[in-house]
Amino acid sequence: MPQRAEGRLPPNVVHALPSAPAFSGRQDELRKLREFWQSGQGVVSLIGIGGAGKTALAQRFLETFLAEEPPDGLLVWSFYDDPDANHFLKTAYEYFTGGSQAHASGAGWFSPMGEVLSSGKRFLLILDGLE
């Protein structure tokens, strides 16, 4: 079970995002992601063609800004590495609840995940390859 520090869960990087050693530019996009995170609202999606740099942008955001304003929980998952949605939802539920078990599948995850994600905490999910 993850240990909480200051009420926060330690990050759970199930699948590491690929590094982008030659990352450059994208300052406008990074600024917009930071503004979104500071607003504390909703969901944001990075949408673009394959190879456009979405994953690199997400990685840079994690490296650059989240140390200043960390989430209550961070889960990084790659559907390229594990495309099983049930496995993702089980992992997410167990992580965000601190180890609680739920026996669900398919649409059965909507209720338990809805309860967890509406708890008032700020959770960040980085979902790579969710197309």
Side-chain angles (χ1 to χ4, degrees), residues 43-94:
V43 174
V44 68
S45 297
L46 302 177
I47 301 170
I49 62 171
K54 301 175 298 290
T55 301
L57 183 61
Q59 179 65 29
R60 182 55 54 105
F61 173 70
L62 290 174
E63 293 170 356
T64 307
F65 298 117
L66 288 184
E68 299 169 16
E69 295 183 53
D72 293 313
L74 166 66
L75 177 65
V76 180
W77 185 276
S78 172
F79 284 93
Y80 296 121
D81 292 333
D82 186 348
D84 185 338
N86 278 313
H87 187 212
F88 160 70
L89 290 166
K90 179 181 185 298
T91 301
Y93 183 83
E94 290 175 0

Side-chain angles (χ1 to χ4, degrees), residues 73-124:
L74 166 66
L75 177 65
V76 180
W77 185 276
S78 172
F79 284 93
Y80 296 121
D81 292 333
D82 186 348
D84 185 338
N86 278 313
H87 187 212
F88 160 70
L89 290 166
K90 179 181 185 298
T91 301
Y93 183 83
E94 290 175 0
Y95 169 67
F96 288 127
T97 62
S100 295
Q101 299 283 312
H103 303 285
S105 65
W109 282 109
F110 290 151
S111 179
M113 284 301 294
E115 289 177 23
V116 168
L117 296 176
S118 65
S119 68
K121 295 189 177 282
R122 293 186 72 197
F123 295 131
L124 180 60

